[in-house]
């Protein structure tokens, strides 16, 4: 009989299969394939995002770049004293009583006379129809020119006036002969006359500085619309936000992070601050309408109200960014300050806060950039109003009606004339430039003053 315990009687074990590091097994190949697919999907997602951004920016630039150029007509205008200063006293107060209706015939006569001097015929158009090539804003331009120096009355001056919106659109490719045949605001004959004026050197397209300085214009004068009041209103609001949000946000962050006891009350405050950062901006607009306008009685469409609303919206962002910057300072800095005899307040304000300042400035600038582009809360507090008058200097200007850049974009997109769409795209470019500059400043400050531990 064979002993079952005899090792020699046991069957030999199968030899173990050895794997090589240079030879991939099936499981490793599947894992590598999954990783490659994930990388490919990530690359596709990033590519789609980049293409979308490029497409958006290209569309804005294509539609808005022409708003920085404007078509002007050069005329020799005789400032007839019989029309502007019948008494002959050159009294500015008496001359100011002449409205724009008194200047329009001077422009019409100046256009006809200048065309005659250049040998340009009307070709079936009346003098009135030819004068329709000139913007309706031109009489106001000429009036401001005369009021700036009344001694010019009685002289023949060379004056650049705005061309009408359809004429400007024709030289920018927005208006064609075919569309003019169906348009009651312009005719193909007027476009052909504009071509002859351009050939004679009377009409030219140049950089439009007034787009940045002029106020808004009515629906019939898109060529005269500008961003001057909107830029000034946005600047006033950002000044209010900076003055209020920065000290309040930093003070609240320092207290919560360095001095406040850790209990349920402070936990509730921290949760609410985080929730406020995610609240839709239109909710802050409703709050501003109820509190600042209906209850406090502040004027509608005023930069002070817009600044207060945007301050409430920006505070959570600044508080969160400031607390993160304070947390990033190593505890050893605090311990070292306390170890050499500094008080808690001295350690915070003399040592921790200066080291956290780059992050605080970055968060503040990003919060201001976010506030600069907000539209919904400003619509609810009345900043959608049509404003042509520039607000006064601070502090009175904070309580006077003004516009804002994002609201101006919204207003222009609601108007029927295609020229306002061009203006809106140009305003978006200006707004994007401001946002890029603010974000670039934030990045520069962070890299300049940031310390790595």
């Amino acid at each position: 009989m064979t002993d079952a315990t005899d090792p020699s009687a046991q069957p030999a074990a199968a030899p173990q299969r050895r794997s090589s590091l240079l030879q991939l097994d099936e499981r490793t190949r599947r894992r590598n394939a999954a990783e490659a697919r994930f990388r490919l999907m990530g690359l596709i997602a990033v590519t789609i995002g980049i293409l979308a951004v490029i497409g958006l920016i290209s569309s804005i630039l294509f539609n808005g770049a022409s708003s920085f150029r404007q078509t002007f007509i050069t005329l020799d205008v005789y400032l007839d004293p019989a029309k502007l200063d019948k008494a002959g006293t050159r009294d500015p107060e008496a001359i100011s009583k002449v409205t724009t209706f008194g200047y329009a015939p001077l422009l019409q006569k100046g256009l006809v006379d200048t065309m005659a001097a250049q040998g340009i015929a009307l070709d079936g158009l009346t003098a009135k129809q030819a004068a329709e090539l000139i913007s309706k804003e031109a009489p106001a331009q000429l009036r401001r020119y005369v009021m700036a120096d009344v001694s010019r009355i009685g002289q023949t001056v060379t004056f650049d006036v705005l061309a009408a919106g359809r004429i400007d659109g024709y030289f920018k490719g927005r208006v064609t002969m075919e569309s003019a045949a169906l348009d009651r605001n312009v005719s193909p004959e007027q476009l052909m006359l504009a071509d002859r004026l351009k050939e004679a050197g009377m009409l030219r397209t140049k950089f439009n500085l007034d787009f940045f300085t002029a106020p808004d214009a009515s629906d019939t004068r898109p060529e005269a619309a500008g961003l001057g009041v909107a830029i000034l209103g946005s600047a006033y609001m950002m000044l209010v936000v900076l003055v209020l949000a920065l000290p309040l946000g930093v003070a609240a962050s320092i207290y919560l992070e360095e001095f406040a006891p850790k209990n349920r009350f402070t936990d509730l405050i921290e949760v609410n601050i985080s929730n406020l950062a995610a609240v839709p901006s239109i909710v802050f607009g409703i709050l501003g309408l109820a509190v600042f306008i209906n209850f406090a009685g502040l004027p509608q469409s005023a930069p002070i109200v817009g600044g207060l609303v945007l301050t409430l919206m920006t505070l959570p962002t600044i508080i969160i960014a400031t607390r993160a910057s304070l947390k990033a300072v190593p505890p050893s800095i605090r311990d070292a300050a306390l170890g050499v005899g500094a008080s808690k307040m001295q350690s915070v304000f003399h040592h921790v806060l200066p080291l956290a300042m780059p992050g605080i400035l970055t968060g503040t600038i990003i919060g201001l950039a976010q506030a600069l582009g907000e539209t919904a809360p400003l619509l609810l507090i009345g900043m959608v109003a049509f404003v042509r008058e520039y607000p006064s200097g601070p502090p009175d200007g904070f309580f006077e009606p003004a516009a804002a850049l994002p609201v101006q974009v919204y207003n222009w997109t609601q108007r029927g004339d295609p020229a306002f769409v061009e203006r809106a795209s140009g305003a978006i470019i200006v707004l994007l430039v401001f946002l890029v500059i603010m974000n670039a400043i934030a990045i520069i400050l962070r890299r300049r003053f940031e310390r790595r531990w």
Side-chain angles (χ1 to χ4, degrees):
M1 295 183 62
T2 305
D3 188 357
T5 62
D6 186 3
S8 60
Q10 298 295 327
Q16 294 184 352
R17 183 179 179 183
R18 295 182 178 179
S19 59
S20 172
L21 295 176
L22 302 178
Q23 184 178 1
L24 301 180
D25 56 14
E26 185 62 27
R27 182 179 179 182
T28 304
R29 282 194 292 268
R30 288 197 304 268
R31 185 174 61 192
N32 291 346
E35 182 179 351
R37 287 194 300 270
F38 180 78
R39 289 183 177 180
L40 179 61
M41 288 187 292
L43 180 61
I44 292 174
V46 171
T47 303
I48 292 175
I50 293 175
L51 291 177
V53 171
I54 292 175
L56 176 63
I57 295 178
S58 300
S59 174
I60 294 173
L61 291 176
F62 178 78
N63 293 321
S66 56
S67 63
F68 301 105
R69 296 180 294 110
Q70 191 65 42
T71 304
F72 292 86
I73 301 176
T74 302
L75 308 176
D76 293 328
V77 183
Y78 175 60
L79 303 179
D80 191 354
K83 299 274 187 188
L84 305 179
D85 186 19
K86 295 180 181 180
T89 59
R90 298 298 189 269
D91 181 15
E93 184 176 353
I95 296 173
S96 65
K97 296 179 181 179
V98 181
T99 65
T100 55
F101 293 102
Y103 288 85
L106 302 181
L107 290 171
Q108 178 177 320
K109 185 176 185 304
L111 176 62
V112 173
D113 292 345
T114 306
M115 289 172 55
Q118 295 287 339
I120 302 174
L122 293 177
D123 285 349
L125 294 174
T126 64
K128 182 178 179 181
Q129 291 173 328
E132 291 177 356
L133 272 67
I134 301 175
S135 168
K136 295 180 180 179
E137 182 69 15
Q141 287 181 285
L142 185 59
R143 184 177 183 273
R144 290 192 294 267
Y145 177 79
V146 171
M147 293 305 302
D149 185 3
V150 295
S151 64
R152 294 165 175 162
I153 295 177
Q155 302 177 7
T156 299
V157 298
T158 301
F159 195 70
D160 287 343
V161 298
L162 287 169
R166 293 296 195 273
I167 303 301
D168 179 62
Y170 173 62
F171 291 102
K172 294 178 180 178
R174 194 173 59 246
V175 178
T176 62
M177 291 290 181
E178 292 75 14
S179 65
L182 305 174
D183 194 339
R184 63 184 179 87
N185 294 313
V186 70
S187 66
E189 291 76 16
Q190 290 173 320
L191 296 184
M192 289 187 286
L193 176 59
D195 284 330
R196 295 196 295 273
L197 293 179
K198 185 175 183 180
E199 292 174 358
M202 291 178 57
L203 186 149
R204 58 197 176 95
T205 301
K206 60 181 182 179
F207 181 74
N208 183 21
L209 183 61
D210 290 340
F211 181 67
F212 302 97
T213 59
D216 194 8
S218 64
D219 292 354
T220 59
R221 306 175 184 181
E223 65 280 355
L227 292 172
V229 176
I231 292 176
L232 189 58
S234 292
Y236 279 0
M237 287 192 297
M238 291 303 103
L239 183 59
V240 173
V241 174
L242 182 63
V243 170
L244 295 179
L246 180 59
L248 290 176
V250 173
S253 302
I254 292 174
Y255 176 75
L256 290 174
E257 190 63 33
E258 301 292 341
F259 297 100
K262 302 301 179 182
N263 51 37
R264 292 184 178 181
F265 180 69
T266 55
D267 290 342
L268 179 63
I269 293 177
E270 293 177 3
V271 170
N272 284 325
I273 290 174
S274 300
N275 289 336
L276 284 175
V279 170
S281 59
I282 195 169
V283 176
F284 291 98
I286 297 174
L287 177 64
L289 177 63
V291 176
F292 300 129
I293 294 179
N294 294 338
F295 178 74
L298 293 175
Q300 290 188 358
S301 191
I304 185 65
V305 180
L308 290 172
V309 172
L310 295 179
T311 296
L312 295 177
M313 193 190 71
T314 308
L315 267 175
T317 302
I318 295 179
I319 292 175
I320 293 172
T322 302
R323 293 194 65 188
S325 300
L326 293 173
K327 286 181 181 179
V329 178
S332 58
I333 301 294
R334 299 172 177 85
D335 297 338
L338 296 174
V340 296
S343 65
K344 178 68 174 177
M345 182 169 292
Q346 287 174 329
S347 68
V348 171
F349 286 93
H350 295 175
H351 301 278
V352 177
L353 188 59
L355 296 176
M357 193 56 67
I360 295 173
L361 293 177
T362 300
T364 301
I365 294 174
I366 292 176
L368 290 176
Q370 177 190 1
L372 180 62
E374 286 294 339
T375 306
L378 303 181
L379 296 178
L380 288 178
I381 62 173
M383 295 202 77
V384 71
F386 178 79
V387 181
R388 273 192 60 85
E389 300 297 327
Y390 290 93
S392 306
D396 295 337
F398 290 119
F399 298 90
E400 296 177 357
L405 279 174
V407 178
Q408 193 67 72
V409 172
Y410 172 81
N411 278 338
W412 284 345
T413 56
Q414 302 303 305
R415 300 182 185 179
D417 197 312
F420 281 110
V421 178
E422 174 194 87
R423 283 293 199 270
S425 298
I428 292 174
I429 294 175
V430 174
L431 183 59
L432 288 177
V433 169
F434 280 122
L435 294 176
V436 169
I437 291 174
M438 295 177 72
N439 283 275
I441 292 174
I443 294 173
I444 292 172
L445 288 176
R446 174 173 285 277
R447 292 188 175 181
R448 174 66 178 82
F449 298 105
E450 186 178 29
R451 293 188 181 182
R452 298 188 180 275
W453 311 101

